[in-house]
């Protein structure tokens, strides 16, 4: 267990790394927040981080059900209607996605050092293509990418389906989950990684309640703060960002 100091008390031998995408590699969570705030404003309601935490990392329809139920607008807006409306607004935002601080540095470093890396995201293919269209260089370094609409991912996070599917698809796989390190920002994603039997580094939004940090093995302010040596991974050779 660890806190923002980055001290890890128990380490496992890590051979493979799996990244979440939204809010971890790509700064896309802000788009969801912006759109959902606009939708709720019509009903004179506000979108807060307690609700955001429940929705993060889940499959679209699951987060949509949480959204309309928790905000009490289900009589006016069904989960399906919410998704249609949200989709229209997100389409123009996703292509402007930026990389999170330290994401490029870490992905390029692990790839250069021969550490097998993959992505397991709740995003379905259409959204994935929009979000990553400016970042093909980084995502092309992944050995494989597991999407939310993958046939093997029966349930979204906190179910371990996505991470277990990722562990199976590495060359020479399946990889023992105890040798996999996951990077996540969402509480449901951290639980999914732990449910898969994997170690997890959490890089949460600072607005997320700190009670959600407890399940992670390590909590960092930014990917720039990650020290590969603490996990017996090849160390950075410079201080580039």
């Amino acid at each position: 267990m660890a806190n923002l100091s980055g001290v890890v008390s128990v380490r496992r031998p890590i051979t493979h790394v799996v990244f979440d995408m939204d809010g971890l590699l790509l700064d896309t969570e802000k788009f969801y927040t912006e759109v959902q705030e606009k939708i709720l404003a019509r009903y004179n309601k506000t979108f807060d981080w307690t609700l955001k935490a429940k929705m993060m990392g889940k499959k679209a329809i699951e987060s949509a059900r949480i959204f309309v139920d928790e905000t009490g607008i289900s009589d006016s807006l069904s989960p399906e209607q919410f998704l249609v409306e949200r989709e229209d607004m997100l389409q123009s935002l996703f292509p402007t996605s930026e990389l999170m601080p330290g994401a490029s540095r870490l992905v390029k470093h692990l790839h250069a050092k021969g550490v097998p890396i993959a992505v397991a995201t709740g995003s379905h293919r259409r959204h994935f293509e929009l979000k990553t269209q400016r970042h093909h260089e980084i995502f092309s370094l992944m050995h494989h990418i597991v999407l939310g609409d993958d046939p093997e991912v029966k349930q979204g996070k906190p179910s371990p389906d996505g991470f277990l599917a990722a562990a199976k698809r590495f060359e020479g796989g399946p990889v023992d989950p105890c040798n996999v390190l996951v990077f996540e920002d969402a509480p449901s994603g951290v639980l999914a990684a732990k449910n898969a039997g994997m170690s997890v580094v959490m890089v949460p939004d600072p607005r997320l309640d700190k009670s959600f940090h407890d399940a992670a093995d390590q909590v960092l302010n930014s990917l720039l703060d990650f020290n590969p040596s603490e996990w017996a991974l090849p160390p950075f050779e410079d201080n580039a960002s």
Side-chain angles (χ1 to χ4, degrees):
M1 202 61 60
N3 53 31
L4 285 169
S5 68
V7 178
V8 182
S9 55
V10 179
R11 300 184 187 90
R12 294 169 172 182
I14 299 302
T15 58
H16 296 68
V17 170
V18 178
F19 293 97
D20 172 51
M21 184 177 74
D22 292 288
L24 190 281
L25 292 178
L26 292 180
D27 188 13
T28 48
E29 284 294 342
K30 64 182 180 184
F31 298 144
Y32 291 99
T33 299
E34 179 183 330
V35 167
Q36 285 151 194
E37 284 175 344
K38 286 180 180 177
I39 292 173
L40 279 183
R42 292 207 314 267
Y43 302 95
N44 296 314
K45 294 178 181 289
T46 55
F47 185 66
D48 62 37
W49 266 84
T50 303
L51 177 56
K52 174 85 173 174
K54 294 178 182 178
M55 296 175 66
M56 288 173 71
K58 296 184 182 295
K59 285 192 172 187
I61 190 61
E62 293 169 1
S63 65
R65 290 191 189 107
I66 293 169
F67 182 82
V68 299
D69 289 344
E70 295 271 337
T71 56
I73 64 170
S74 55
D75 289 343
S76 306
L77 193 70
S78 71
E80 292 75 14
Q81 289 169 328
F82 163 71
L83 287 179
V84 170
E85 188 170 337
R86 189 179 74 168
E87 179 77 11
D88 289 342
M89 300 166 78
L90 289 173
Q91 290 279 356
S92 61
L93 295 173
F94 282 155
T96 68
S97 299
E98 300 282 354
L99 289 168
M100 293 292 282
S104 177
R105 175 196 188 208
L106 180 55
V107 169
K108 288 179 177 177
H109 168 73
L110 293 175
H111 181 265
K113 295 299 182 181
V115 178
I117 51 179
V119 166
T121 174
S123 285
H124 51 67
R125 180 161 297 281
R126 186 173 70 258
H127 281 179
F128 174 82
E129 299 294 349
L130 289 172
K131 292 169 182 175
T132 62
Q133 64 183 39
R134 296 172 55 211
H135 307 292
H136 289 158
E137 178 193 5
I138 291 300
F139 286 88
S140 69
L141 301 181
M142 301 296 171
H143 182 270
H144 56 276
I145 293 166
V146 178
L147 301 173
D149 51 358
D150 187 288
E152 257 190 86
V153 183
K154 307 295 185 189
Q155 293 180 288
K157 302 168 183 178
S159 163
D161 292 12
F163 290 128
L164 292 175
K168 286 167 60 177
R169 298 179 191 177
F170 284 109
E171 191 171 343
V175 177
D176 189 327
C178 75
N179 299 130
V180 177
L181 179 62
V182 171
F183 285 85
E184 262 286 357
D185 69 306
S188 63
V190 170
L191 291 178
K194 300 308 292 184
N195 288 336
M198 300 173 180
S199 297
V200 57
V201 172
M202 187 183 198
V203 190
D205 188 290
R207 291 166 292 186
L208 184 70
D209 191 280
K210 287 181 171 54
S211 64
F212 289 110
H213 295 181
D214 294 346
D217 295 288
Q218 185 176 32
V219 181
L220 303 174
N221 285 314
S222 162
L223 288 175
L224 289 170
D225 297 331
F226 180 66
N227 181 354
S229 301
E230 291 182 352
W231 293 91
L233 290 166
F236 288 120
E237 293 171 359
D238 55 49
N239 295 316
S241 60

